[in-house]
Amino acid sequence: MVGYDPEAQCVSTVEAAAAGSASGFVTRVLVSPLDVLKIRFQLQIEQLSSRNPAAKYHGILQAVQRIFQEEGLVAFWKGHVPAQFLSVGYGAVQFMAFESLTKLVHHVTSYDARDSFVHFVCGGLAACTATVAVQPVDTLRTRFAAQGEPKVYPNLRQAVLTMYRTEGPQTFYRGLTPTIIAIFPYAGLQFYFYNILQQFSEWVIPAEGKKGGNVKNLVCGSCAGIISKTLTYPFDVFKKRLQVGGFEQARAAFGQVRVYRGLLDCIRQIMREEGPGGFFKGLSPSVLKAAASTGLVFFCAFYHQNTQKHFSRQSVEDEWHCGC
């Protein structure tokens, strides 16, 4: 089980950070194409439908074909370098903070560190900490994934310098407000539902044994990711729209562009021009990404932790009690 377990000799905080980083690195490589599709859909003002001739993208398959034809295969990994910094940094801070917070709860309060509510609160706080730490690279990742050809930013260094000189340091934290509002319930629900699903799976299949542990982590993590992402998705759309503020010239080739004065103005404009469906643009690739990334994060993190304990010669019984 992820988090501090007082009845088992689980991983240290540093090992939790390493597991989170490793899982984030592997996951990002695999889900990057879905992330690019999601961002393109989220930023498109026009309706995502073939019935709208002004819409550049209509659906997943059509978008894949068009991006490939216009920008080539490498376009599906646009922004991959800052995205890797984002994944590795976010994974390290989140898992380290979650491990530390659940341990603190156990020692300072009367709550059980394995309780689902504790996982919800600690998961949310850990995600908020990680979000503030990596928000600048998240903004960079969004802009790289959003730009077409020819590129406005040829490389990461040029992007950082250009944004800093033309928009100031505050531009790296565009979209932080909706991110913080959404990330607490998203991550909290992620850990909460993961814990609930783990307990449910053990109740349904009590004699599953060690062999199915990694598959169970993958399935439970995927389901937790889908539920959490769907419930908090509109805030991800708001974040992306705000992150490309000041970047309108790079979006002109994709269709209409909008300037938002802040979170509330963004919500009002989307509701007025695009309707409630505008809050869920890009949900399909996002759900696929959430299922794959969350499942793989938990799978890889547990596999990494399991490998570490194997080489440190801890007993198999200790590994199983840690839920690895």
Side-chain angles (χ1 to χ4, degrees):
M1 184 177 294
V2 69
Y4 178 71
D5 187 346
E7 295 182 1
Q9 187 179 351
C10 289
V11 296
S12 67
T13 301
V14 175
E15 289 173 327
S21 295
S23 63
F25 180 86
V26 173
T27 301
R28 176 59 59 181
V29 175
L30 300 176
V31 303
S32 182
L34 290 171
D35 206 30
V36 170
L37 287 173
K38 181 196 75 167
I39 291 172
R40 296 288 179 94
F41 288 178
Q42 287 176 326
L43 297 178
Q44 180 169 295
I45 304 298
E46 294 83 2
Q47 183 184 10
L48 294 167
S49 172
S50 58
R51 293 190 296 272
N52 185 348
K56 187 178 181 70
Y57 303 123
H58 307 153
I60 292 178
L61 292 179
Q62 181 269 346
V64 168
Q65 292 173 346
R66 184 150 191 178
I67 292 172
F68 180 76
Q69 291 171 355
E70 295 179 352
E71 303 170 54
L73 183 63
V74 294
F76 295 103
W77 280 268
K78 277 188 174 180
H80 187 65
V81 174
Q84 279 294 4
F85 283 122
L86 172 66
S87 294
V88 172
Y90 186 91
V93 176
Q94 183 187 34
F95 273 81
M96 182 170 62
F98 185 73
E99 197 78 16
S100 299
L101 287 168
T102 50
K103 186 175 182 179
L104 180 66
V105 166
H106 175 73
H107 290 298
V108 176
T109 73
S110 59
Y111 289 98
D112 186 344
R114 297 163 296 180
D115 185 76
S116 296
F117 177 74
V118 171
H119 275 221
F120 173 80
V121 175
C122 292
L125 291 174
C128 288
T129 303
T131 295
V132 173
V134 302
Q135 180 70 10
V137 291
D138 189 18
T139 301
L140 287 165
R141 182 277 306 262
T142 298
R143 294 202 177 192
F144 272 102
Q147 70 178 352
E149 299 292 340
K151 296 183 177 70
V152 175
Y153 303 135
N155 54 59
L156 184 60
R157 178 178 177 275
Q158 189 64 35
V160 172
L161 292 175
T162 302
M163 290 170 64
Y164 183 83
R165 289 170 181 168
T166 60
E167 302 174 58
Q170 71 277 4
T171 193
F172 295 103
Y173 284 90
R174 286 181 183 270
L176 182 60
T177 301
T179 307
I180 291 295
I181 294 173
I183 199 63
F184 186 97
Y186 172 64
L189 289 169
Q190 199 176 73
F191 280 101
Y192 175 80
F193 283 116
Y194 176 80
N195 194 28
I196 291 293
L197 291 167
Q198 282 275 27
Q199 293 176 9
F200 179 74
S201 67
E202 290 171 3
W203 177 72
V204 172
I205 315 174
E208 180 187 19
K210 302 182 185 69
K211 292 183 179 179
N214 286 332
V215 175
K216 183 177 69 173
N217 291 331
L218 180 63
V219 174
C220 292
S222 296
C223 292
I226 291 171
I227 297 169
S228 305
K229 174 57 70 176
T230 303
L231 292 175
T232 60
Y233 187 75
F235 286 96
D236 195 30
V237 175
F238 306 149
K239 177 183 75 172
K240 294 297 188 296
R241 296 283 180 100
L242 293 172
Q243 282 180 327
V244 295
F247 191 58
E248 287 79 17
Q249 76 278 13
R251 300 291 308 153
F254 291 87
Q256 300 179 54
V257 294
R258 293 290 182 273
V259 177
Y260 304 112
R261 295 189 299 273
L263 175 59
L264 293 180
D265 183 52
C266 179
I267 295 172
R268 282 195 294 265
Q269 286 199 48
I270 293 175
M271 184 65 189
R272 183 175 64 249
E273 299 180 353
E274 304 168 56
F279 298 137
F280 291 91
K281 280 184 174 176
L283 181 61
S284 297
S286 183
V287 165
L288 291 175
K289 177 198 167 189
S293 61
T294 309
L296 285 169
V297 161
F298 281 109
F299 178 85
C300 294
F302 281 117
Y303 180 82
H304 183 73
Q305 291 176 356
N306 188 38
T307 302
Q308 285 182 324
K309 284 192 286 297
H310 173 75
F311 286 112
S312 63
R313 297 181 182 179
Q314 291 186 12
S315 68
V316 174
E317 189 66 21
D318 280 343
E319 293 181 27
W320 182 238
H321 282 308
C322 283
C324 303

